[in-house]
Amino acid sequence: MSRTRLERVRAAVGIASLALQQIEDDLSADDVDEEELAAILRELIEYTDPPGGFIPALAQLVTVAARRAEQIEPDRDGDASCPLHEAAAFLTDNAGQRLIWAARALHPQGDI
């Protein structure tokens, strides 16, 4: 295994963890109202370029891992890749939709 690759992954995960902690801190602020919370939830879905959003980007990362697992699984039986594909589908089909529902419930006038 490439030590440099693993170090890059650790660094990137560390940066992502710090960013998520900042979002969590912002969500915990006493002055967050319904409209702002809905806007934050929408940003998790639609931020950045297509396919866009944190949730879709995370699902894409898991899908790439699943595709790689398909190529290197010893028996090519799907023991590793199938759960990864399922996790990616759960993120986009379930988690993303639930964020949208929550945002609409909090502030139905939003863009999503």
Side-chain angles (χ1 to χ4, degrees):
M1 176 187 319
S2 170
R3 185 103 170 124
T4 304
R5 181 176 296 129
L6 186 55
E7 289 169 355
R8 282 194 312 264
V9 169
R10 283 182 182 146
V13 168
I15 291 167
S17 294
L18 289 172
L20 291 172
Q21 182 60 54
Q22 178 60 54
I23 295 168
E24 185 178 332
D25 292 347
D26 288 339
L27 288 170
S28 300
D30 290 336
D31 62 343
V32 173
D33 63 11
E34 295 89 356
E35 185 175 350
E36 188 173 21
L37 179 56
I40 291 169
L41 296 175
R42 287 185 178 95
E43 287 298 310
L44 292 174
I45 294 295
E46 64 182 299
Y47 183 80
T48 72
D49 297 330
F54 172 75
I55 299 294
L58 182 57
Q60 178 62 29
L61 183 144
V62 174
T63 297
V64 169
R67 288 183 187 141
R68 185 64 187 140
E70 288 170 357
Q71 297 170 351
I72 62 174
E73 285 177 299
D75 298 329
R76 298 198 184 267
D77 57 6
D79 283 349
S81 60
C82 284
L84 291 169
H85 281 298
E86 290 170 357
F90 180 79
L91 285 166
T92 54
D93 296 344
N94 202 325
Q97 187 60 48
R98 289 176 188 272
L99 285 175
I100 291 168
W101 291 340
R104 284 183 180 158
L106 289 164
H107 189 253
Q109 312 310 328
D111 294 333
I112 284 186

